[in-house]
Amino acid sequence: MTTTDNITGVSRRMLNKVPEVTVYFWVIKILCTTVGESFADYINETLGFGLTNTTLVFSAALIVTLVFQFRANRYIPGIYWLAVVLISVVGTLLTDNLTDGQGVPLWISSTVFAVLLAAVFGIWYARERTLSIHTIVTTPREAFYWLTVLVTFALGTAVGDWTLELTGWSPGKSVLLPLGLILAVLVAWKIGMGPVLSFWIAYILTRPLGANIGDYLASPRADGGLGLGTLGTSVLFLGTILATVIYLTVTRKDATESLETSPVHE
């Protein structure tokens, strides 16, 4: 696989724009996916903004945040994870707009987003010869990365909702399937599956896991949930994300700050 040592050309030099994949990465990622589900539902349904207005507001916020993310020349925890929180909401809303707004069946949404994700991966690899998140050091690679993240959130939402539609499982029980699949990926990685493939499969699976956790916490006790509601769940997880990001900002435990030793191209 091509690494950063093989990149040639002349362009802007940046530190890797993505955090190290540590336990903090996966914890915040799952928290973000839960917020994406619960906060989108709270704004859309509880406050009555509606799908269209909610989508416009969060899409605008995401665009502004990504402008700051792209302008930075290194990984900044606050900006990066704010972008992930917002993109989780927008990705959820993309699927919700198709399903609830346009009446598109979940199996079609799942298929379309899966094909789109494969296309993004194909173009990314054809251009850059790597899909590793440890080489996000140019603007095109960062663009491919964030586009991939957006599609994985939309795909994860569609597949997760489709699974619940097919199985009719309770909120608590629904957590077990994506959790089990993630553990299977972990085992496969331990016995030799490629790290890049393992990462992206797990990344996709954290979306339905986080969404199902959000449903479990927010759903009324009569429906098998904990009854925290969408607002309570959102506040709890946003507070946890904020505390963790502050910790990472101070300690830099998840920073990968080795600057390119050879020029790079965009």
Side-chain angles (χ1 to χ4, degrees):
M1 178 179 294
T2 302
T3 65
T4 53
D5 293 333
N6 304 121
I7 304 172
T8 58
V10 178
S11 184
R12 176 186 176 204
R13 293 156 63 93
M14 298 188 297
L15 299 171
N16 190 39
K17 300 289 289 294
V18 175
E20 186 61 67
V21 182
T22 65
V23 66
Y24 299 107
F25 179 94
W26 292 114
V27 167
I28 302 179
K29 171 61 168 61
I30 294 172
L31 293 174
C32 288
T33 61
T34 302
V35 168
E37 181 77 8
S38 60
F39 201 40
D41 288 345
Y42 176 71
I43 298 297
N44 172 33
E45 298 173 5
T46 306
L47 295 186
F49 267 47
L51 273 175
T52 300
N53 290 335
T54 304
T55 302
L56 291 175
V57 168
F58 280 99
S59 295
L62 174 61
I63 290 171
V64 171
T65 302
L66 285 178
V67 168
F68 284 98
Q69 169 67 22
F70 274 84
R71 287 173 62 88
N73 66 353
R74 62 183 178 86
Y75 162 61
I76 300 175
I79 297 176
Y80 175 89
W81 287 112
L82 177 59
V84 175
V85 169
L86 291 172
I87 213 167
S88 72
V89 177
V90 173
T92 298
L93 290 169
L94 287 178
T95 297
D96 289 347
N97 272 280
L98 289 175
T99 305
D100 301 331
Q102 305 300 322
V104 177
L106 286 167
W107 73 267
I108 293 180
S109 299
S110 300
T111 303
V112 169
F113 286 128
V115 171
L116 180 58
L117 181 61
V120 173
F121 275 139
I123 297 170
W124 182 358
Y125 187 80
R127 189 187 191 282
E128 303 294 337
R129 311 309 298 176
T130 180
L131 300 177
S132 172
I133 68 165
H134 295 112
T135 61
I136 309 300
V137 293
T138 68
T139 300
R141 290 186 181 187
E142 188 171 14
F144 280 123
Y145 173 78
W146 286 110
L147 179 58
T148 300
V149 171
L150 176 61
V151 178
T152 60
F153 273 112
L155 174 61
T157 301
V159 171
D161 289 349
W162 186 26
T163 301
L164 293 179
E165 185 180 85
L166 291 173
T167 61
W169 285 344
S170 64
K173 189 176 180 180
S174 66
V175 173
L176 299 178
L177 178 59
L179 179 60
L181 291 174
I182 290 173
L183 292 176
V185 172
L186 176 61
V187 172
W189 171 66
K190 288 288 187 180
I191 63 178
M193 188 165 75
V196 174
L197 177 61
S198 302
F199 171 83
W200 284 115
I201 293 176
Y203 199 93
I204 293 170
L205 290 171
T206 57
R207 177 60 187 89
L209 174 62
N212 292 348
I213 291 173
D215 286 341
Y216 175 60
L217 293 174
S219 295
R221 293 182 181 274
D223 295 333
L226 292 185
L228 294 182
T230 52
L231 178 59
T233 302
S234 299
V235 170
L236 174 64
F237 278 66
L238 283 172
T240 306
I241 292 170
L242 179 61
T244 308
V245 169
I246 290 173
Y247 172 75
L248 293 175
T249 300
V250 173
T251 63
R252 306 294 295 170
K253 282 184 175 292
D254 64 338
T256 55
E257 297 200 335
S258 57
L259 189 62
E260 286 295 312
T261 55
S262 58
V264 297
H265 76 282
E266 293 187 348

